[in-house]
Amino acid sequence: MNLKQLSQMLELSQTTVSRALNGYPEVNEETRRRVMDAARRHGYRPNPSARRLATGKAGMIGYVLPTGSAVDIDPHFVEFLSGLGDYARAHDFDLVLSPADAQDEETTYRRVVANKQVDALYVSSPKPADKRIKLLEQLGLPYIVHGRSEGLHFDYPFMDIDNEGAFHEAGRLLVQLGHSRIALINGQRAETFAVFRERGLRNALAASGLVLATPMIRSFAMTEENGYRAARSLLETSPRPTAIICSSLIMALGVVRAARDLGIEIPKDMSLIAHDDVFPWLKPENFSVPLATTRSSIRLAGARIAERLAARISGLEEGKSGEVWPVDLVVRGSVAGAPTRANS
Amino acid sequence: MNLKQLSQMLELSQTTVSRALNGYPEVNEETRRRVMDAARRHGYRPNPSARRLATGKAGMIGYVLPTGSAVDIDPHFVEFLSGLGDYARAHDFDLVLSPADAQDEETTYRRVVANKQVDALYVSSPKPADKRIKLLEQLGLPYIVHGRSEGLHFDYPFMDIDNEGAFHEAGRLLVQLGHSRIALINGQRAETFAVFRERGLRNALAASGLVLATPMIRSFAMTEENGYRAARSLLETSPRPTAIICSSLIMALGVVRAARDLGIEIPKDMSLIAHDDVFPWLKPENFSVPLATTRSSIRLAGARIAERLAARISGLEEGKSGEVWPVDLVVRGSVAGAPTRANS
DNA sequence: GGTATTCCCCAAAGCGCTTTGATTATTGCG
DNA sequence: CGCAATAATCAAAGCGCTTTGGGGAATACC
């Protein structure tokens, strides 16, 4: 069933039917009702390709997916996607993933924009001075960044959580509990969130006259194995840290394993706080010692970004406004006062 | 730069230019070279919407993504996607995710097909007698199922791993090591893979005159927490199982935690084997006791499915052939002989 | 030499929609 | 009553591509 057939059936022109369906004012309300009704009854659905060709609007939002044998999409993505998908379903648009060579995403961005394949894009895992943001700004397609870049000389629309504040809080708590040797196991430095988290922790320590020394920082891709290695190398120094703050629950698994291997008890010998993006399949309260976390649902972020993208597409949202969500600090059994000298 | 401009520039008709570019035979090789060359130089890219409208081909493959507040996309999906994305990038097509209400995926499938939004679909997590397969068969769009259904009275194209064989092997190994009380912590029964795995294990036991009794089976969504609960409930019975086979690495985390809580040592008191889909962020060899696994890369499966979908789209692959990949059994420290009576 | 092939290329007709520019009723106003 | 304004509809022109159905020129065949 296409427009032509429908309009013949109604003995109206395609123009009128099209307008009736798309809510244009220059059509009699009675007629509109008739049209809407017939469309529903016959299950008429405008052909998206035709509509796209005519309007230039795609009804889809896009994401450039970095791929390559060396590239691992991380499991956070799927949670984010859940949120995005929820909103997208409710508002009837699809998502296009355009795989790109991780070495050369620019080509793909340009292609997607030039072809008008999508109405908006979202950008994730922004790096400091991220080129993709510059590019999109220049290409003029609506977009939102999930996270933040740094050192860009213009504003851009983003949605981020307060990584700095979160790790500041976490650090402050540890300091209050008497810890002074606090280590950080972070995600890769190339990611802006890692920069912010480090900064937050550093400032928290500085506020009490403490220093976050380079040897107390590890930055790696967030795998269990890297968490283990980082923790091990930290805990084998002397004097060892009495507390670790860690950027992901998955890494925290490795940290816990390292502590166990070394006979270090949590929280007696060492406190541990990790950032929790809220996975349904791995919960901090179920760690052998319930894990204190800085918590923020990445899924909700996905839904919010979808919402804002939709608003931008339809012109309801403009400007370059950034949005920063606060992060909860959830204290659980993995934190305790710093061990007394006798223990350490 | 569009076809019209390009053809004017070359002083050729759009027909000829189009044909030259798409490799049709009725064009002079010399002309073709000229055209190809000009197209490259001017960065001409056919507008996909127009092409789609004209040909009905979309240049995209689709996936209907079940969503809803109660639905969790599981982390396996992202690994699968990595593989799919790798292939898609290399062969220049995009992926469309169409979010659907998990309660009513049919509507979305119909829409996607009716609109010709994609050239092919892939279906994951098939259930026994999966309705989606019937529907697609009837709608006539190329598709491939990742996994298998059961009880369908027709053939369909699928790619699956040998779940039955894998758990058969795993079971056989345990039996050979003297285990007789073997428990299964499985994924949800609604998933066909869970049915196959149970069957594999059951047959392995039966081959030695043993029985996989219902009280020795647990079936839940594959989260750490469910792994813990299942293991706990199994290990608190008496006599308790001396070995557990578990359907996922994530669940295995919970199993290990349960064993630890109960003071049960792996592998001395209990052997453990889990299925490993190969995540970059969680590796079985890094469990506190290296975990024996049945291993199969879900990422490779993604790439293979993309390949087959592409072949189907271009008519290179036909028929309903299923493809079953063998699964490696990787023995590591988490398996040992059954404990002697004194220990159990 | 004339006719049949083959080789290249073209004009034009879609694909299904939106939108512009008119056209035909209807109503309002002096 | 006549003319302007308003409302409601339509025909037709794109959007950028593929593909059908020819057609002219060069080559082959008898």
Side-chain angles (χ1 to χ4, degrees):
Chain A
M1 165 89 0
N2 59 22
L3 225 211
K4 193 171 179 183
Q5 292 167 12
L6 186 65
S7 60
Q8 278 169 353
M9 177 165 304
L10 288 162
E11 303 196 310
L12 284 169
S13 72
Q14 297 190 35
T15 310
T16 304
V17 175
S18 170
R19 284 185 162 148
L21 257 22
N22 293 318
Y24 281 73
E26 55 270 81
V27 57
N28 191 307
E29 277 311 318
E30 149 87 41
T31 309
R32 187 192 305 279
R33 239 189 307 280
R34 257 181 70 218
V35 172
M36 300 278 259
D37 200 57
R40 195 170 317 109
R41 277 207 323 281
H42 295 83
Y44 167 75
R45 287 255 179 197
N47 176 318
S49 302
R51 165 174 271 170
R52 192 168 315 156
L53 182 58
T55 61
K57 292 277 166 196
M60 310 208 260
I61 68 180
Y63 177 62
V64 173
L65 183 77
T67 62
S69 53
V71 180
D72 299 318
I73 307 179
D74 82 85
H76 298 85
F77 179 70
V78 88
E79 268 305 290
F80 183 82
L81 207 57
S82 293
L84 207 67
D86 274 355
Y87 186 92
R89 169 179 52 78
H91 296 262
D92 227 52
F93 54 82
D94 290 340
L95 312 174
V96 182
L97 306 184
S98 302
D101 182 348
Q103 304 305 308
D104 174 29
E105 300 185 43
E106 179 168 340
T107 306
T108 305
Y109 275 98
R110 286 187 183 280
R111 186 198 84 207
V112 166
V113 173
N115 290 344
K116 300 187 179 163
Q117 294 194 134
V118 300
D119 297 329
L121 281 169
Y122 92 87
V123 174
S124 74
S125 304
K127 319 281 180 276
D130 200 298
K131 284 186 202 164
R132 299 171 297 173
I133 302 177
K134 275 185 218 163
L135 181 61
L136 282 174
E137 198 55 45
Q138 171 190 331
L139 293 174
L141 193 79
Y143 68 95
I144 291 196
V145 178
H146 181 210
R148 255 174 293 180
S149 185
E150 248 200 340
L152 253 30
H153 300 113
F154 54 86
D155 290 333
Y156 54 89
F158 68 83
M159 199 243 105
D160 196 8
I161 60 172
D162 185 9
N163 284 302
E164 183 172 345
F167 273 39
H168 188 106
E169 280 302 294
R172 198 163 65 116
L173 173 65
L174 291 172
V175 170
Q176 284 172 345
L177 288 169
H179 293 271
S180 55
R181 292 195 304 282
I182 300 174
L184 172 63
I185 300 181
N186 213 345
Q188 292 176 287
R189 309 202 99 79
E191 308 268 0
T192 316
F193 78 81
V195 175
F196 277 79
R197 289 181 186 174
E198 180 178 326
R199 185 177 304 156
L201 179 56
R202 169 166 286 124
N203 290 345
L205 298 195
S208 301
L210 297 169
V211 170
L212 177 62
T214 310
M216 295 294 257
I217 302 177
R218 298 290 182 281
S219 283
F220 299 112
M222 301 192 291
T223 69
E224 193 273 349
E225 185 167 3
N226 287 337
Y228 178 83
R229 290 197 180 145
R232 237 186 125 123
S233 78
L234 284 166
L235 293 172
E236 281 171 347
T237 59
S238 174
R240 66 176 188 234
T242 63
I244 291 181
I245 298 186
C246 164
S247 260
S248 105
L249 228 51
I250 295 173
M251 284 186 126
L253 285 172
V255 175
V256 168
R257 178 162 65 93
R260 193 179 298 126
D261 278 7
L262 295 171
I264 293 171
E265 262 185 63
I266 300 175
K268 185 165 76 67
D269 304 323
M270 180 191 105
S271 289
L272 178 59
I273 302 180
H275 182 74
D276 175 21
D277 292 290
V278 189
F279 298 121
W281 41 272
L282 182 63
K283 300 188 173 164
E285 59 265 39
N286 292 333
F287 272 52
S288 44
V289 175
L291 192 61
T293 58
T294 53
R295 180 183 60 194
S296 180
S297 164
I298 201 169
R299 180 168 181 160
L300 290 180
R304 173 62 181 149
I305 287 193
E307 185 183 5
R308 287 189 58 190
L309 284 172
R312 294 203 148 243
I313 292 171
S314 54
L316 297 176
E317 176 181 316
E318 291 187 358
K320 314 289 186 178
S321 59
E323 170 175 346
V324 178
W325 284 6
V327 175
D328 300 327
L329 175 61
V330 184
V331 179
R332 296 197 186 84
S334 66
V335 294
T340 59
R341 290 185 186 264
N343 283 329
S344 69
Chain B
M1 165 86 2
N2 58 23
L3 225 210
K4 194 171 179 183
Q5 292 166 12
L6 185 65
S7 60
Q8 278 169 355
M9 176 167 304
L10 286 162
E11 303 195 310
L12 284 169
S13 72
Q14 297 190 35
T15 311
T16 304
V17 175
S18 170
R19 283 184 164 149
L21 257 21
N22 294 319
Y24 281 73
E26 56 272 80
V27 58
N28 191 309
E29 276 311 318
E30 148 87 40
T31 310
R32 188 192 304 277
R33 239 188 307 280
R34 261 181 67 219
V35 172
M36 300 278 258
D37 200 54
R40 196 168 318 110
R41 278 208 322 283
H42 294 85
Y44 168 74
R45 286 254 178 198
N47 175 317
S49 301
R51 165 176 268 169
R52 192 168 314 157
L53 182 58
T55 61
K57 293 277 167 195
M60 311 208 258
I61 68 179
Y63 177 63
V64 173
L65 183 78
T67 61
S69 52
V71 180
D72 299 318
I73 307 179
D74 82 85
H76 297 84
F77 180 70
V78 86
E79 269 305 290
F80 183 83
L81 206 57
S82 294
L84 207 67
D86 274 355
Y87 186 93
R89 169 179 50 80
H91 296 261
D92 227 52
F93 54 82
D94 290 340
L95 311 175
V96 182
L97 306 184
S98 302
D101 181 347
Q103 305 305 308
D104 174 28
E105 299 185 43
E106 179 168 339
T107 305
T108 305
Y109 274 98
R110 286 187 183 280
R111 186 199 84 209
V112 166
V113 173
N115 289 345
K116 298 187 179 163
Q117 295 195 130
V118 300
D119 297 329
L121 281 169
Y122 93 86
V123 174
S124 74
S125 303
K127 319 283 179 275
D130 200 297
K131 285 185 200 165
R132 299 170 297 173
I133 303 178
K134 274 187 218 163
L135 180 62
L136 282 174
E137 197 55 46
Q138 170 191 332
L139 293 175
L141 193 80
Y143 68 96
I144 291 196
V145 177
H146 181 210
R148 255 175 291 182
S149 185
E150 247 199 343
L152 252 30
H153 300 113
F154 54 86
D155 289 335
Y156 54 90
F158 67 83
M159 201 242 104
D160 196 8
I161 60 172
D162 185 9
N163 284 303
E164 183 172 346
F167 273 39
H168 188 106
E169 281 301 295
R172 199 164 63 118
L173 172 66
L174 291 172
V175 170
Q176 283 172 346
L177 287 170
H179 293 271
S180 55
R181 291 194 308 281
I182 300 174
L184 172 64
I185 299 181
N186 212 346
Q188 292 177 287
R189 312 203 96 78
E191 309 269 359
T192 316
F193 79 82
V195 175
F196 276 79
R197 289 181 184 173
E198 180 177 327
R199 186 178 303 157
L201 180 56
R202 169 166 285 126
N203 290 344
L205 298 194
S208 301
L210 296 171
V211 170
L212 178 61
T214 310
M216 295 294 259
I217 303 177
R218 297 291 184 281
S219 284
F220 298 112
M222 300 193 292
T223 68
E224 194 271 352
E225 185 167 2
N226 286 336
Y228 178 84
R229 290 198 180 146
R232 244 194 115 122
S233 78
L234 285 166
L235 293 172
E236 281 172 346
T237 59
S238 173
R240 65 175 188 232
T242 63
I244 291 181
I245 297 185
C246 165
S247 261
S248 106
L249 228 52
I250 295 171
M251 283 186 126
L253 285 172
V255 174
V256 169
R257 178 163 65 95
R260 191 179 300 126
D261 278 8
L262 295 170
I264 293 170
E265 262 186 62
I266 299 175
K268 185 165 76 68
D269 305 323
M270 181 191 103
S271 289
L272 177 60
I273 301 179
H275 182 74
D276 176 20
D277 292 289
V278 189
F279 298 121
W281 40 274
L282 183 62
K283 298 186 174 166
E285 59 266 36
N286 293 333
F287 273 52
S288 43
V289 176
L291 192 60
T293 58
T294 53
R295 180 183 59 197
S296 180
S297 164
I298 201 169
R299 181 168 180 160
L300 290 180
R304 174 61 181 149
I305 286 192
E307 185 184 6
R308 286 189 59 190
L309 283 173
R312 294 203 147 243
I313 290 171
S314 55
L316 297 176
E317 176 181 316
E318 292 187 357
K320 314 288 185 179
S321 61
E323 171 176 344
V324 178
W325 283 6
V327 175
D328 300 328
L329 175 60
V330 185
V331 179
R332 296 197 186 85
S334 68
V335 294
T340 59
R341 288 184 188 266
N343 282 331
S344 69

